[in-house]
């Protein structure tokens, strides 16, 4: 079952990211983003399997700046984690698809992800440069991707992505 996180899930979510990434950076990032204006409670989702939390995904508000007076809203998919023993089982894909559907339902037009070039395209992500969208840091083109949640969700959108300060970018 995929559902919106509850306050009592926060400790488990911290552990999921810690175990999945082998460090606490992503866990601390989730905690920091929860306290930021970029946080969207409806897009912090957990995967519950046999009454245990095994995964978490977070989508937060970002902006794409074309010019000083042209700023477009989008979402960042980051971070996403599945407990190591459940990785490569399809649970992560279910979490991503569910999150994208919910984001579209909330009226968002696009999502940006920095991720594995062989993983995210299966969900429709394409190189962000195709849309004229650039990362605010040096990153391989094939790892920085965008997805239109609705038709023409990135039409006439281009520029540099601005992440919330909690990302430390």
């Amino acid at each position: 079952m995929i559902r919106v996180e509850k306050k009592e899930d926060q400790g488990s979510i911290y552990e999921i990211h810690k175990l999945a990434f082998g460090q606490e950076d992503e866990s601390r990032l989730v905690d920091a983003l929860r306290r930021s204006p970029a946080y969207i409670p409806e897009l912090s989702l957990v995967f519950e399997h046999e009454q245990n939390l095994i995964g978490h995904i977070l989508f937060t508000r970002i902006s794409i700046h074309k010019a000083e007076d042209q700023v477009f809203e989008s979402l960042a998919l980051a971070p996403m984690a599945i407990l190591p023993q459940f990785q490569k089982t399809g649970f992560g894909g279910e979490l991503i698809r569910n999150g994208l559907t919910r984001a579209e339902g909330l009226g968002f037009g696009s999502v940006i992800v920095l991720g594995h070039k062989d993983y995210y395209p299966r969900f429709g992500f394409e190189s962000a440069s195709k849309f004229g969208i650039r990362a605010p840091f040096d990153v391989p083109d094939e790892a920085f991707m965008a997805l239109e949640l609705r038709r023409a969700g990135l039409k006439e959108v281009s520029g540099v992505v601005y992440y919330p300060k909690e990302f430390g970018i």
Side-chain angles (χ1 to χ4, degrees), residues 22 26 59 70 89 92 102 116 124 129 151:
E26 288 78 6
F59 295 84
Q70 288 185 297
T89 60
R102 288 174 189 243
H116 198 279
S129 64
R151 186 179 194 126

Side-chain angles (χ1 to χ4, degrees), residues 35-57:
R35 297 185 298 270
S36 82
Y39 182 66
I40 306 163
E42 300 88 351
L43 293 178
S44 183
L45 307 172
V46 293
F47 200 122
E48 191 174 330
H49 178 68
E50 297 178 354
Q51 299 179 332
N52 294 304
L53 297 188
I54 65 162
H56 176 255
I57 193 168

Side-chain angles (χ1 to χ4, degrees), residues 124-146:
F125 283 91
E126 304 174 80
S127 175
S129 64
K130 171 187 173 190
F131 302 99
I133 297 170
R134 300 179 312 282
F137 44 81
D138 196 25
V139 61
D141 186 60
E142 64 274 5
F144 194 67
M145 295 171 263

Side-chain angles (χ1 to χ4, degrees), residues 65-149:
H65 295 238
K66 186 173 186 176
E68 231 176 85
D69 61 340
Q70 288 185 297
V71 178
F72 307 94
E73 182 179 59
S74 187
L75 292 173
L77 186 170
M80 191 274 287
I82 299 290
L83 287 174
Q85 64 268 36
F86 293 101
Q87 291 176 3
K88 300 185 191 289
T89 60
F91 290 124
E94 287 184 52
L95 200 50
I96 291 168
R97 281 187 286 278
N98 187 286
L100 294 173
T101 298
R102 288 174 189 243
E104 181 183 13
L106 290 172
F108 290 96
S110 63
V111 178
I112 304 294
V113 68
L114 174 61
H116 198 279
K117 66 179 179 70
D118 295 327
Y119 184 69
Y120 288 96
R122 70 182 73 171
F123 306 103
F125 283 91
E126 304 174 80
S127 175
S129 64
K130 171 187 173 190
F131 302 99
I133 297 170
R134 300 179 312 282
F137 44 81
D138 196 25
V139 61
D141 186 60
E142 64 274 5
F144 194 67
M145 295 171 263
L147 171 70
E148 292 180 303
L149 290 173

Side-chain angles (χ1 to χ4, degrees), residues 4-75:
V4 172
E5 81 165 63
K6 301 174 187 171
K7 184 146 184 76
E8 58 266 24
D9 297 330
Q10 291 180 4
S12 295
I13 291 169
Y14 192 96
E15 286 301 308
I16 289 167
H17 286 281
K18 179 180 166 185
L19 292 169
F21 289 100
Q23 63 181 12
E24 296 185 45
D25 292 354
E26 288 78 6
S27 302
R28 289 192 291 266
L29 174 60
V30 171
D31 286 349
L33 286 167
R34 269 193 207 100
R35 297 185 298 270
S36 82
Y39 182 66
I40 306 163
E42 300 88 351
L43 293 178
S44 183
L45 307 172
V46 293
F47 200 122
E48 191 174 330
H49 178 68
E50 297 178 354
Q51 299 179 332
N52 294 304
L53 297 188
I54 65 162
H56 176 255
I57 193 168
L58 183 62
F59 295 84
T60 51
R61 294 180 204 286
I62 58 171
S63 56
I64 302 168
H65 295 238
K66 186 173 186 176
E68 231 176 85
D69 61 340
Q70 288 185 297
V71 178
F72 307 94
E73 182 179 59
S74 187
L75 292 173

